[in-house]
Amino acid sequence: MSDRFWTVIAEQHKELESARGADDVVRILSHDRNPYGPASGVGDGFFAGSGGDKTVRKALHTAGWELVWAESAVYYTMRAPDGSLITYIEGDIYRGSRSGRNTEQAGTPAN
């Protein structure tokens, strides 16, 4: 991978560390900002750097997000400080929960 690729990944990871909600994550990881090009990924967003040292999960944890469900390191749902959810599936980012389980807590919006 080129230096430019990893520069984009580092910038996205840094931005994720202050993401307050699902809208922020989708904006940061939008298809237009994907270093592979806008056609990569099938979700609402895509993190192309999953083969590197930095993870979406770690960055969002830094931003105050909590893990609410995980099947593996590449398939999980997290809740933002604003109550919104994202699901990460092998680099693809989806708004809301795709876990097949009810991850909503009383008084907290599901998406």
Side-chain angles (χ1 to χ4, degrees):
M1 293 291 152
S2 72
D3 289 341
R4 177 68 188 139
F5 175 91
W6 292 112
T7 299
V8 169
I9 297 305
E11 289 168 356
Q12 289 176 329
H13 191 266
K14 186 67 177 169
E15 289 177 54
L16 288 171
E17 290 178 337
S18 60
R20 304 308 294 161
D23 288 343
D24 293 334
V25 173
V26 170
R27 178 184 48 76
I28 293 163
L29 300 178
S30 71
H31 294 288
D32 292 338
R33 295 186 66 196
N34 184 338
Y36 288 133
S40 298
V42 296
D44 297 314
F46 183 74
F47 181 65
S50 60
D53 296 332
K54 299 180 184 285
T55 67
V56 170
R57 187 169 166 174
K58 207 178 287 186
L60 295 180
H61 178 76
T62 298
W65 290 57
E66 66 176 312
L67 183 69
V68 294
W69 175 86
E71 183 169 302
S72 70
V74 296
Y75 183 21
Y76 55 84
T77 300
M78 294 186 79
R79 179 175 285 108
D82 74 359
S84 61
L85 300 171
I86 60 103
T87 299
Y88 178 96
I89 306 173
E90 297 184 358
D92 289 305
I93 304 292
Y94 298 90
R95 292 176 200 273
S97 176
R98 298 275 176 121
S99 69
R101 297 195 173 116
N102 182 4
T103 54
E104 186 175 347
Q105 294 178 351
T108 305
N111 52 15

